Amino acid sequence: MGLKGIIPPIGTPVLEDERVDEKGLRNLVRYLIDGGVNGIFANGTMGCFALLTDAEQIRLIDIVVDEVKGRIPVIAGVSDSGTKRVVTKIKEIEKLKIDYVTAVPPYYYKLTQEQGKNFFRDIANASGVPVFIYNNPYLTKLDLDIASIVELANEPNIVGLKETSQDCNRWTDLFDALRGKENFDVFFGTELLIPQCLMMGADGVIGGAHNIAPRIAADLYSAFIAKDYETAFSKSRDLKKVCGIFQYGDIWGGFEAALQLLGICEKATIGPYRACDGEGREKVRQILFDVGLPVPDERAKGQAE
């Protein structure tokens, strides 16, 4: 099967009432595909799934699949607070012709390694589509250890891992432990170490900033595949600059400002989080301008006048 490359965890444009903004979401899907990405992860952490109603989560996945129209694979996030809730979501979205599903371990209550493994086995057995493990210890109370991941990689319907970690020592141990498992894909959730994780053997990267600069990320991946490492590291430095948008506003505030400046949508923040202020918006504008993204340079405009 095999999934490779740049897979943005798509953000979720919303309306003032915090329902999914269908027009904005379709705009963002087209922007990502035009930017050369290799797939889309819908309803993940970057898409603020935990702040949306269940109905809106299903609706946004439906919109993404409809707009993609089979051009690239779609991974659907089905994370929730319990196994039955996750399986219920899987059964709902299986009707939408998604390519993969993924979930973090149930959050809120603590889990042991054994409970985490049982969770992934249960959803893999219940799912009619392939499953990716999503290990995100920062936002859950479980960090799957390498032995657990290797054990789960032997399950017939578990085909890969999305690992949210920038620990290169752990990466080394993980790749050593997974050696020989050619049909198990490994993706990392980082924008800052893409060349490094690809060199170590990753199949690709899932990073939030790729929503804003998909072409930079796609060009980085292409340069790596072509063994043009100088270009790959140059693009990596550009992506690091793009990540600066997340300094402004409440998590999604700078992200929202970037989407506004790119003409994609007007809102991507959901309560209790808030948009960034005017000064933050101008900082975001400058970041985008500095990496060559198509936003107006207000300073240049003022000078011209």
Side-chain angles (χ1 to χ4, degrees), residues 227-246:
K227 296 183 168 41
D228 180 0
Y229 301 126
E230 182 177 352
T231 297
F233 277 99
S234 175
K235 297 295 181 182
S236 181
R237 289 190 289 272
D238 286 341
L239 279 177
K240 182 178 180 180
K241 293 176 186 175
V242 174
C243 287
I245 67 171
F246 296 111

Side-chain angles (χ1 to χ4, degrees), residues 77 129 161 215 227:
V129 294
L161 166 72
R215 177 54 62 188
K227 296 183 168 41

